[in-house]
């Protein structure tokens, strides 16, 4: 049987053997998770307060780095559980976020996921999260405010590019705020 040759005259096996991974820099892969909780006609958002750098002390979406050979969907479920104690929630892909500079640590690409729940699971901060809380989403004309007790945030206050991820998830979930 004849083997198909590429434009360099190589078989697939030869091309794979000559492939140099060092010639193709790789980004780090993360997952970020947007969990909305529906209570009657109001929504809340699950956030964590970062316990480490970068953005130490800032509020962020739960998430973190993928382990080698781990599907990013598993990363999202694992990080949600590790940082908040929430598990067993079916997640939907919101999109891939890869703008240069989105993370000050370097070239980091995030697969973001979202879900809307109408039940309350106990939450607890874990792993590298210093705190985990539900923030009520309060729309006011063109502004969105996030409130938990005496903490008042706008999406612009979130770490990384989580404002962009949150806005995407709100659109995809068709939340009527």
């Amino acid at each position: 049987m004849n083997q198909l040759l590429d434009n360099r005259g190589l078989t697939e096996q030869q091309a794979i053997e000559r492939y140099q991974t060092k010639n193709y820099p790789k980004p780090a892969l993360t997952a970020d998770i947007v969990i909305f909780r529906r209570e009657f006609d109001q929504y809340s958002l699950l956030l964590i307060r970062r316990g480490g750098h970068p953005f130490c002390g800032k509020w962020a979406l739960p998430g973190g780095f993928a382990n080698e050979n781990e599907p990013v969907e598993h990363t999202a479920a694992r990080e949600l559980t590790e940082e908040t104690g929430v598990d067993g929630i079916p997640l939907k892909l919101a999109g891939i976020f890869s703008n240069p500079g989105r993370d000050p640590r370097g070239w980091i690409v995030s697969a973001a996921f979202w879900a809307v729940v109408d039940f309350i699971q106990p939450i607890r901060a874990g792993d590298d999260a210093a705190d985990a809380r539900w923030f009520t989403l309060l729309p006011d004309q063109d502004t969105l405010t996030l409130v938990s007790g005496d903490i008042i945030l706008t999406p612009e206050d979130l770490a990384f590019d989580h404002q962009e991820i949150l806005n995407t998830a709100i659109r995809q979930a068709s939340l009527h705020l």
Side-chain angles (χ1 to χ4, degrees):
M1 176 179 205
N2 291 339
Q3 291 193 21
L4 187 61
L5 302 179
D6 68 7
N7 58 0
R8 296 172 296 166
L10 301 174
T11 66
E12 183 172 355
Q13 182 63 36
Q14 290 168 327
I16 291 170
E17 288 170 359
R18 292 182 183 187
Y19 181 80
Q20 299 287 316
T21 58
K22 66 179 179 172
N23 293 337
Y24 303 97
K26 310 281 188 297
L29 179 61
T30 63
D32 290 306
I33 307 96
V34 182
I35 302 295
F36 299 108
R37 182 178 69 194
R38 181 180 31 239
E39 297 177 87
F40 304 106
D41 61 346
Q42 197 165 49
Y43 291 92
S44 297
L45 173 67
L46 183 57
L47 295 176
I48 59 111
R49 189 167 52 83
R50 291 187 52 80
H53 293 293
F55 301 107
C56 187
K58 290 202 73 159
W59 290 92
L61 299 170
F65 287 94
N67 293 325
E68 189 172 356
N69 298 316
E70 178 183 45
V72 72
E73 297 85 356
H74 294 180
T75 302
R78 176 180 54 76
E79 286 289 340
L80 181 61
T81 301
E82 287 176 1
E83 292 188 344
T84 70
V86 174
D87 64 358
I89 296 175
L91 300 172
K92 297 175 183 156
L93 181 66
I96 304 298
F97 295 82
S98 62
N99 284 337
R102 67 171 299 277
D103 189 312
R105 294 170 289 192
W107 187 17
I108 298 175
V109 174
S110 182
F113 296 84
W114 65 272
V116 178
V117 299
D118 54 10
F119 57 86
I120 298 174
Q121 279 191 18
I123 58 171
R124 58 162 176 66
D127 195 27
D128 55 352
D131 194 359
R133 294 185 185 198
W134 289 103
F135 282 77
T136 302
L137 301 175
L138 299 175
D140 182 24
Q141 295 176 2
D142 292 335
T143 305
L144 181 64
T145 304
L146 312 170
V147 178
S148 181
D150 61 347
I151 302 171
I152 300 171
L153 307 171
T154 66
E156 293 84 13
D157 295 321
L158 299 178
F160 304 101
D161 59 350
H162 291 184
Q163 173 188 0
E164 180 183 359
I165 294 171
L166 173 60
N167 290 339
T168 299
I170 288 171
R171 281 192 308 276
Q172 288 186 12
S174 300
L175 298 189
H176 302 289
L177 301 175

